[in-house]
């Protein structure tokens, strides 16, 4: 059995020789002491010592050299003590035990020392709450409640924790005083009647009696299996079983009686339901299965108002509008409060305001809105007052570098000949181009009139009738006239016929077409049905207009600079202030809804109830369980004794002279390991068990 040690960084350094190792763990102590000759000292604080494959080992916290006997003693926490030095606070757990262990070890930050088995422990934690406990006491208590024990084994650089079912050895074997020496203590009259009393924060007093039978089994203390409210508890002594001198009673005074809020399912409609339903509750279950209780609310019902309510102007915000919305359940109606209508009011100022020079932009001027006005009504529009800006213009003697892109930032001098002069912004030049379409535009059906066709090879046929004049003179005169009329056309041919249909005399037909360079574009016209014509490739054109800078002219253009900005000169009865106020919107029929609240249906309704006795009963039960767990056995075994028992296993013992027998869980182990190569090759291991008892 090698005792291995590490350095401060927990790197393995070797095996210790010639030592005495005392370990104690379980219900108390959870520490160790390691003694060696001082000249063999190899350890420092924070070093680990352990025996592979066992629960024996720990972390060095203290070092005590003693020159009187030439010894050095190292003390520290066993692995149980390391866990005992951690705290679990306000934690609820459930599930497979080893999975729960992994969560707890990670939560307390102990995974640098401990790892948890991946095996299924076959122990299910059906809900357990930690209030504020040491991790060791809390975890071992949780496992014992569900039939388990906590195993510690040093394995491959860490302490492997695992939950296993505890073993009840009392049914198959027991310690016998004729074979093994032990010390046994049997309590025949433990506390079997506990009275708990106290007052709440308001001074109201509470008291309850809790009894057990002779075997420590707690008797019925409520009329329901799961009491929810004060009225569910039995407050008299009707459940007392043990009397006379065998009755051992104890009183517990609670400084401040706590209260637990519970929710009780109602099976009968309460008398105040119709007007007090908001003080009752409904059960809610979230996506993770967590339950909660929420105060009931009335059901909102909306009814359409057919005529304008008398209180509309004052209480319009208590009415609602409705619109359709889509959600995961389908189409629903959403109701929204009617918002106020914001109205701007303008007040004419009779005298110059004191802040005019600095806040003139907060004032307005008025003019008639020609577009909105009519013969019977004049509508005004208001505009914010603008500053009066004085500019200075500097003549440009050379072309600016940004002229081609920012020509509109420059100005030219203009005089109208009447004495009025000004500087005007430079206008752009523009060019128009047409690009042939190679694919049908997406808006052709509705926007075809914004596209173009070209007037190429379009013939113009013109007639001339010679009547009685010379045919040649007549023809020449007609052609000359046509040439003037169609000066952009070129003559194609002249056709002479002797007779024209319906004509008395013969005529000449002269055909013209557009000359090259005189191409014109016409907007697309609708077909005979008034719709877009059929689109054809390379027949239609899209029009593009491009703006560009005019040609630069030296000593023509100016740069403008702001010389000063100031408030305009005040004019009486010209300027207005604006104020905003909310008012009722204009009433519209069949648009607004009135909201009313009705009581919800009476289905799965809960009432909140108060339980002042839950905590008091818990204290009484703890007192009885403590009293009946004082029976204890102390027994010493060496490592040749056979089975090595774990904390939490149940064992029994019988003393034949008195006939006393006990069966209790193991609550503590004390181990002494002695290694001395001078006298023995193997280490000597002595184990003392404490069975039952309280710390």
């Amino acid at each position: 059995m090698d005792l291995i040690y590490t350095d401060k960084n927990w790197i393995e350094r070797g095996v210790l020789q010639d030592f005495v190792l005392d370990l104690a763990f379980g219900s108390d102590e959870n520490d160790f002491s390691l003694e060696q000759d001082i000249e063999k000292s190899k350890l420092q604080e924070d070093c680990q010592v352990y025996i592979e494959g066992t629960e024996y080992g720990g972390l060095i916290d203290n070092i005590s050299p003693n020159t009187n006997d030439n010894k050095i003693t190292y003390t520290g926490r066993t692995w149980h003590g390391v866990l005992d030095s951690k705290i679990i606070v306000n934690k609820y757990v459930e599930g497979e035990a080893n999975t729960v262990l992994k969560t707890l070890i990670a939560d307390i930050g102990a995974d640098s020392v401990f790892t948890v088995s991946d095996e299924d422990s076959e122990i299910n934690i059906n809900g357990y709450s930690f209030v504020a406990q040491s991790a060791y006491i809390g975890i071992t208590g949780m496992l014992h409640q569900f039939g388990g024990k906590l195993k510690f084994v040093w394995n491959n650089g860490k302490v492997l924790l695992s939950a296993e079912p505890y073993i009840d050895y009392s049914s198959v074997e027991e310690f016998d005083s004729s074979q093994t020496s032990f010390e046994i203590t049997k309590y025949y009259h433990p506390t079997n009647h506990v009275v708990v009393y106290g007052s709440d924060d308001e001074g109201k007093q509470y008291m309850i009696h809790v009894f057990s039978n002779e075997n420590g089994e707690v008797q019925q203390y409520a009329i329901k299996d799961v009491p929810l409210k004060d009225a569910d508890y039995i407050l008299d002594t009707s459940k007392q079983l043990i009397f006379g001198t065998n009755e051992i009673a104890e009183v517990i005074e609670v400084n401040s009686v706590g209260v637990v809020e519970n929710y009780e399912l109602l099976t009968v409609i309460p008398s105040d339901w119709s007007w007090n339903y908001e003080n009752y509750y409904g059960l809610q279950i979230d996506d993770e299965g967590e339950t909660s209780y929420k105060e009931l609310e009335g059901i909102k019902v909306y009814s359409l108002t057919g005529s304008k309510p008398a209180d509309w102007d004052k209480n319009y915000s208590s009415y609602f509008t409705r619109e359709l919305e889509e959600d995961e359940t389908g189409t629903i109606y959403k109701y929204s409060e009617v918002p106020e209508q914001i109205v701007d009011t303008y007040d004419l100022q009779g005298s110059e305001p004191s802040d005019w020079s600095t806040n003139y932009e907060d004032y307005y001027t008025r003019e008639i809105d020609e577009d909105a006005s009519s013969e019977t009504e004049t509508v005004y529009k208001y505009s914010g007052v603008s500053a009066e800006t004085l500019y200075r213009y500097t003549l440009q003697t050379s072309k600016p570098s940004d002229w081609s892109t920012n020509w509109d930032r420059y100005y030219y001098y203009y005089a109208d000949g009447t004495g009025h002069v000004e500087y005007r912004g430079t206008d752009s030049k523009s060019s128009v181009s047409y690009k042939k379409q190679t694919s049908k535009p997406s808006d052709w059906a509705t926007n075809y009139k914004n596209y173009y066709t070209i007037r190429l090879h379009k013939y113009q046929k013109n007639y001339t009738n010679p009547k009685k004049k010379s045919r040649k003179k007549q023809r020449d005169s007609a052609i000359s006239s046509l040439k003037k009329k169609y000066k952009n056309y070129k003559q194609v041919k002249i056709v002479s016929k002797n007779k024209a249909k319906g004509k008395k005399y013969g005529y000449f037909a002269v055909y013209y077409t557009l000359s090259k360079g005189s191409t014109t574009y016409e907007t697309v016209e609708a077909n005979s049905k008034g719709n877009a014509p059929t689109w054809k490739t390379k027949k239609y054109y899209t029009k593009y207009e491009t703006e560009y800078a005019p040609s630069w002219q030296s000593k023509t253009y100016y740069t403008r600079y702001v010389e000063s900005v100031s408030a305009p000169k005040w004019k009486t009865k010209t300027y207005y202030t604006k104020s905003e106020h909310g008012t009722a919107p204009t009433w519209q029929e069949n648009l607004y809804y009135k909201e009313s609240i009705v009581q919800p249906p009476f289905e799965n309704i809960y009432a909140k109830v108060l339980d002042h006795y839950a905590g008091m009963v818990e204290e009484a039960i703890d007192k009885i369980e403590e009293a009946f767990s004082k029976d204890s056995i102390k027994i010493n075994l060496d490592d040749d004794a056979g089975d090595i028992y774990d904390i939490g296993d149940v064992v029994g013992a019988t003393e034949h002279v008195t006939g006393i027998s006990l069966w209790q869980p193991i609550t503590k182990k004390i181990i002494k390991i002695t290694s001395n190569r001078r006298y023995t090759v193997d280490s000597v291991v002595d184990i003392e068990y404490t069975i039952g008892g309280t710390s």
Side-chain angles (χ1 to χ4, degrees):
M1 186 176 285
D2 293 333
L3 181 63
I4 301 169
Y5 70 95
T6 72
D7 59 19
K8 295 173 66 173
N9 297 316
W10 298 356
I11 298 173
E12 184 179 319
R13 292 303 181 188
V15 177
L16 294 176
Q17 303 290 345
D18 301 328
F19 60 84
V20 177
L21 175 63
D22 288 294
L23 307 101
F25 46 83
S27 58
D28 58 13
E29 297 190 64
N30 292 313
D31 55 19
F32 71 90
S33 172
L34 174 62
E35 184 181 85
Q36 280 189 297
D37 291 338
I38 199 168
E39 64 270 12
K40 296 181 179 180
S41 172
K42 298 179 180 180
L43 306 177
Q44 297 174 290
E45 76 280 4
D46 297 327
C47 292
Q48 294 177 332
V49 292
Y50 54 85
I51 297 174
E52 187 78 34
T54 74
E55 61 184 328
Y56 307 146
L59 190 65
I60 293 175
D61 293 322
N62 313 295
I63 303 175
S64 301
N66 188 339
T67 58
N68 292 327
D69 58 5
N70 201 35
K71 297 289 186 182
I72 187 167
T73 303
Y74 306 95
T75 57
R77 292 162 288 166
T78 62
W79 305 131
H80 314 71
V82 173
L83 198 56
D84 197 39
S85 64
K86 297 289 186 178
I87 301 294
I88 301 175
V89 178
N90 294 332
K91 182 74 175 179
Y92 175 83
V93 294
E94 60 182 352
E96 189 274 322
N98 280 335
T99 302
V100 170
L101 271 180
K102 287 182 181 180
T103 300
L104 294 174
I105 293 302
D107 285 351
I108 63 177
D111 43 9
S112 62
V113 177
F114 300 102
T115 185
V116 179
S117 172
D118 293 324
E119 295 184 4
D120 186 348
S121 66
E122 298 184 358
I123 300 170
N124 188 49
I125 308 300
N126 294 321
Y128 189 86
S129 295
F130 296 87
V131 180
Q133 290 175 290
S134 85
Y136 178 71
I137 297 299
I139 291 172
T140 54
M142 173 191 72
L143 291 176
H144 186 75
Q145 180 174 321
F146 294 98
K149 63 183 178 182
L150 183 61
K151 291 276 289 185
F152 293 75
V153 176
W154 181 272
N155 180 50
N156 208 16
K158 283 191 177 183
V159 180
L160 177 66
L161 299 178
S162 60
E164 296 182 7
Y166 70 71
I167 301 173
D168 186 353
Y169 290 98
S170 64
S171 60
V172 293
E173 62 179 85
E174 67 177 22
F175 297 117
D176 192 308
S177 60
S178 64
Q179 301 171 342
T180 307
S181 297
F182 53 80
E183 178 184 337
I184 188 169
T185 302
K186 172 70 174 176
Y187 291 84
Y188 287 94
H189 295 294
T191 300
N192 50 51
H193 175 190
V194 179
V195 181
V196 188
Y197 76 96
S199 301
D200 62 13
D201 294 339
E202 297 178 354
K204 184 178 179 180
Q205 289 198 340
Y206 298 86
M207 178 184 292
I208 190 168
H209 299 260
V210 180
F211 303 94
S212 76
N213 62 16
E214 63 277 4
N215 296 320
E217 296 171 346
V218 175
Q219 299 303 291
Q220 183 181 357
Y221 53 82
I223 60 176
K224 294 182 178 180
D225 292 339
V226 181
L228 297 175
K229 59 183 182 297
D230 292 349
D232 294 338
Y233 289 89
I234 300 170
L235 303 181
D236 57 25
T237 59
S238 60
K239 298 303 177 180
Q240 184 173 358
L241 297 178
I242 302 173
F243 301 90
T245 57
N246 290 332
E247 177 192 7
I248 307 297
E250 191 167 341
V251 176
I252 299 176
E253 181 181 4
V254 178
N255 291 330
S256 179
V257 174
V259 60
V260 178
E261 292 182 348
N262 293 316
Y263 296 86
E264 184 177 41
L265 180 65
L266 299 180
T267 57
V268 178
I269 298 177
S271 59
D272 63 347
W273 170 252
S274 61
W275 52 270
N276 198 34
Y277 59 83
E278 291 179 343
N279 286 328
Y280 294 91
Y281 296 80
L283 177 65
Q284 292 186 325
I285 303 176
D286 64 19
D287 295 338
E288 298 179 356
E290 296 292 332
T291 60
S292 60
Y293 296 88
K294 183 181 179 181
E295 289 181 336
L296 294 178
E297 297 178 351
I299 298 175
K300 296 178 179 179
V301 177
Y302 298 89
S303 55
L304 186 64
T305 53
S307 58
K308 182 178 179 180
D311 65 344
W312 173 256
D313 291 336
K314 291 184 178 180
N315 297 322
Y316 60 88
S317 60
S318 65
Y319 294 86
F320 295 81
T321 57
R322 186 177 79 171
E323 60 182 341
L324 281 173
E325 280 195 353
E326 297 284 341
D327 66 3
E328 63 275 4
T329 63
T331 302
I332 62 170
Y333 286 110
K334 180 184 177 182
Y335 294 86
S336 304
E337 290 183 1
V338 174
E340 65 181 0
Q341 179 176 320
I342 302 300
V343 177
D344 294 334
T345 302
Y346 295 88
D347 297 314
L348 184 62
Q349 300 297 293
S351 59
E352 181 177 347
S354 59
D355 64 345
W356 174 256
S357 62
T358 56
N359 295 327
Y360 58 88
E361 292 177 335
D362 294 337
Y363 296 86
Y364 296 81
T365 57
R366 187 180 78 169
E367 62 181 327
I368 295 175
D369 188 340
E370 300 291 349
D371 295 332
S373 297
S374 64
E375 292 182 0
T376 58
E377 181 184 12
T378 301
V379 178
Y380 295 95
K381 59 182 178 180
Y382 296 83
S383 304
V385 174
S386 299
E388 286 190 352
T389 305
L390 179 63
Y391 297 102
R392 173 172 54 85
Y393 295 85
T394 302
L395 183 65
Q396 298 295 302
T397 58
S398 60
K399 183 178 179 180
S401 60
D402 64 344
W403 174 257
S404 61
T405 55
N406 295 322
W407 68 86
D408 55 346
R409 295 181 182 178
Y410 298 92
Y411 297 81
Y412 64 92
Y413 177 82
Y414 171 77
D416 67 356
T418 65
H420 172 74
V421 297
E422 63 179 302
Y423 290 88
R424 292 182 173 181
T426 302
D427 295 325
S428 64
K429 297 291 185 179
S430 63
S431 63
V432 176
S433 61
Y434 296 86
K435 189 172 183 180
K436 188 178 294 183
Q437 296 173 358
T438 57
S439 60
K440 184 178 179 180
S442 60
D443 62 346
W444 176 259
T446 57
N447 203 33
Y448 63 90
K449 291 183 178 180
N450 286 330
Y451 297 105
Y452 296 82
T453 58
I454 192 169
R455 285 175 59 186
L456 280 175
H457 305 293
K458 182 177 180 181
Y459 290 98
Q460 179 72 34
K461 184 166 69 172
N462 297 277
Y463 297 93
T464 178
N465 192 329
K467 294 185 178 179
K468 295 181 180 180
K469 293 182 179 180
S470 165
R471 294 174 63 88
K472 184 176 183 305
K473 288 183 178 180
Q474 176 66 47
R475 186 190 68 180
D476 292 343
S477 175
I479 291 174
S480 175
S481 176
L482 290 174
K483 283 183 177 179
K484 292 179 181 179
K485 183 176 181 180
Y486 299 102
K487 60 183 179 181
N488 291 329
Y489 287 66
K490 67 178 181 179
Q491 181 176 319
V492 177
K493 63 181 178 178
I494 301 175
V495 179
S496 176
K497 291 188 177 180
N498 294 325
K499 279 189 176 182
K501 285 184 178 181
K503 304 287 184 180
K504 185 175 180 180
Y505 304 100
Y507 67 92
F508 295 102
V510 183
Y511 290 85
Y512 287 85
T513 185
L514 282 168
S515 301
K516 186 176 181 181
S518 300
T519 302
T520 60
Y521 293 86
E522 297 177 340
T523 56
V524 177
E525 296 180 353
N527 60 21
S528 59
K529 295 181 179 180
N531 300 322
T534 302
W535 185 87
K536 295 181 180 180
T537 184
K538 297 183 179 180
K539 179 178 180 180
Y540 299 104
Y541 294 79
T542 300
K543 180 180 179 181
Y544 294 93
E545 294 187 18
T546 305
E547 291 188 348
Y548 58 92
S551 299
W552 170 259
Q553 299 179 44
S554 180
K555 296 182 179 181
T556 301
Y557 298 104
Y558 295 78
T559 301
R560 186 173 74 174
Y561 300 93
V562 174
E563 191 132 283
S564 65
V565 177
S566 61
K569 185 178 180 180
W570 172 261
K571 297 178 182 179
T572 305
K573 295 183 179 181
T574 301
Y575 301 108
Y576 295 77
T577 56
K578 183 176 78 170
S579 59
E580 295 180 349
H581 67 275
T583 185
T586 303
W587 168 262
Q588 299 180 52
E589 290 186 359
N590 299 321
L591 178 63
Y592 301 110
Y593 292 78
K594 183 67 176 177
E595 180 186 80
S596 57
I597 307 296
V598 299
Q599 67 187 42
F602 187 79
E603 297 175 358
N604 298 320
I605 304 302
Y606 292 79
K608 182 191 288 187
V609 293
L610 303 180
D611 182 354
H612 292 84
Y613 293 101
M616 300 170 72
V617 168
E618 185 176 351
E619 290 202 35
I621 292 174
D622 288 344
K623 178 61 69 175
I624 290 173
E625 290 179 348
E626 177 185 343
F628 276 85
S629 64
K630 286 185 177 180
D631 295 346
S632 63
I633 305 169
K634 286 188 177 181
I635 186 168
N636 286 297
L637 300 173
D638 58 33
D639 60 351
D640 295 327
D643 293 325
I644 301 298
Y645 304 101
D646 295 318
I647 302 291
D649 287 338
V650 176
V651 298
T654 298
E655 198 286 309
H656 286 284
V657 175
T658 60
I660 296 175
S661 296
L662 287 179
W663 295 271
Q664 293 278 25
I666 295 173
T667 55
K668 183 177 180 181
K669 290 170 69 171
I670 299 175
I671 297 95
K672 184 172 185 178
I673 303 174
T674 304
S675 173
N676 193 325
R677 291 177 298 170
R678 193 179 306 170
Y679 302 108
T680 179
V681 175
D682 295 326
S683 301
V684 177
V685 181
D686 181 66
I687 305 175
E688 177 183 320
Y689 294 93
T690 298
I691 302 166
T694 56
S695 58

